[in-house]
Amino acid sequence: MEIQPYSDPPAVSHPPAVKTANTDSLSHHQQMMQRCLSLARQAAGLTAPNPLVGCVITQEGEIVGEGFHPKAGEPHAEVFALRAAGEKAKGATAYVSLEPCNHFGRTPPCSEALVKAEVETVVVGMVDPDPRVSGQGIERLRTAGINVIVGVEEADCQRLNEAFVHRVRFQRPFGILKYAMTLDGKIATNAGHSTWITNEAARTHVHELRSTCDAVIVGGNTVRRDNPHLTSHRNLPLHNPLRVVMSRTLDLPNAAHLWQTDIAPTLVLTQGNPRPEFQADLIQQGVEVVSLDVLTPETAMTYLSQKQLLSVLWECGGTLSAHAIADGSVQKVLAFIAPKIVGGQTAPSPVGDLGFNKMTEALQLERVRWHIVGDDCLVEGYLP
């Protein structure tokens, strides 16, 4: 188990200086790959269904060009870096956080661009899991006589693109369950009051997290009780995710922050044809309403996969979160724990009934990390 101090989540912002802090102990290759990752994070939440990729080109140890993939349909990171480097790319070392593609998609293959630029060495963070690429980009570079080094800072590269890897492997978005609870495991009081459990630093972390995700899901009870915005809550032009409401009955308020689609898009998922007039009113306000044959977390994720989304943040109540865990719609858990005790026998908890009767049945999180966020604690881990 790794215990570490809190650090800001990836967000859309200006890239840090080339010589970042805490890199003195890293090799030059590692430092440059960390720079690639910093660049890639500038597009967090914007590239679906494509991965986040950063590229740095150096000549005699000095950076002569860099870039990142801004969004699907735009040039890849290598193209921007090569453009910036110009003639200095010849004989240079190119660092890229993900294996260069070797196929024609919306853009030409980056492996060919690197070959044409006559770079001498390419340092790759991780192999692309996409079967159209996997290993073929590296092979093309080596066939052209370019020295290729693979696996520098691979764990960090994998973590950055865990949603992309999951989508490639399972053809479904990567689900993240986020909740905040008191030290005694409550997400609200007996009366349902929940503002605020965590401190401002933790709430800021959540706002940043939303800006890196493609969608955020809540149930109807959260809309009725909390009237959330589900945005990044920033004046800056940060990415806001698609806001998704799951409700079979559409017993939802006529006025809600989520219906204000000029701020961020909203999708309501239901089943059958409940409250047709209310549906028409939502559609008139710009809300997308979709009826599925059966509404479950799994069918919701399948629908969102058709929208080519990579990462989905579950910010729902205990009943829906339990269903999402049970049917495999959640892969990662982010639990904020506030040093508060609220008590209450009927006060809700973050995860409802999973049908377990023995402690030996409990789901044990893997790759657990702890972060201190102000006075609160964030536990991060992956479901097995």
Side-chain angles (χ1 to χ4, degrees), residues 17-230:
V18 173
K19 291 186 177 180
T20 57
N22 301 321
T23 60
D24 292 343
S25 61
L26 300 179
S27 71
H28 181 72
H29 282 348
Q30 290 174 305
Q31 290 184 49
M32 292 301 99
M33 191 58 67
Q34 287 296 331
R35 175 60 181 165
C36 288
L37 295 175
S38 295
L39 290 165
R41 291 188 185 101
Q42 308 314 305
L46 302 175
T47 63
N50 291 355
L52 296 165
V53 185
C55 180
V56 172
I57 297 176
T58 66
Q59 187 69 259
E60 297 181 356
E62 297 295 325
I63 293 178
V64 295
E66 58 182 24
F68 62 92
H69 178 49
K71 64 178 181 179
E74 293 291 321
H76 291 185
E78 297 93 324
V79 174
F80 286 109
L82 289 170
R83 285 177 184 173
E87 293 298 322
K88 294 181 180 178
K90 185 175 181 179
T93 297
Y95 297 85
V96 60
S97 55
L98 183 71
E99 176 184 5
C101 64
N102 191 47
H103 68 286
F104 282 89
R106 299 186 191 183
T107 58
C110 294
S111 57
E112 295 302 327
L114 291 165
V115 170
K116 185 177 179 180
E118 299 183 56
V119 300
E120 183 176 287
T121 300
V122 175
V123 181
V124 177
M126 63 174 279
V127 175
D128 193 329
D130 189 330
R132 297 172 299 173
V133 182
S134 189
Q136 298 177 48
I138 292 170
E139 182 61 29
R140 172 67 185 103
L141 296 174
R142 286 175 172 160
T143 300
I146 295 174
N147 179 39
V148 181
I149 301 171
V150 182
V152 174
E153 299 293 83
E154 182 175 9
D156 286 351
C157 292
Q158 291 276 358
R159 186 176 296 115
L160 175 69
N161 273 312
E162 60 189 6
F164 172 73
V165 173
H166 181 81
R167 178 180 167 81
V168 169
R169 292 183 61 193
F170 302 104
Q171 291 77 54
R172 290 167 61 83
F174 184 76
I176 306 168
L177 174 63
K178 187 280 302 178
Y179 57 81
M181 69 179 189
T182 60
L183 196 60
D184 55 339
K186 309 297 183 181
I187 61 173
T189 66
N190 278 337
H193 188 263
S194 60
T195 309
W196 294 100
I197 293 175
T198 54
N199 59 41
E200 186 175 352
R203 298 197 296 273
T204 297
H205 184 104
V206 172
H207 298 157
E208 297 285 359
L209 174 64
R210 287 181 191 149
S211 75
T212 69
C213 292
D214 299 316
V216 54
I217 295 183
V218 295
N221 193 45
T222 298
V223 179
R224 290 187 292 270
R225 184 189 66 224
D226 297 339
N227 191 21
H229 290 83
L230 302 182

Side-chain angles (χ1 to χ4, degrees), residues 21 262 275 384:
D262 58 323
R275 298 188 66 191

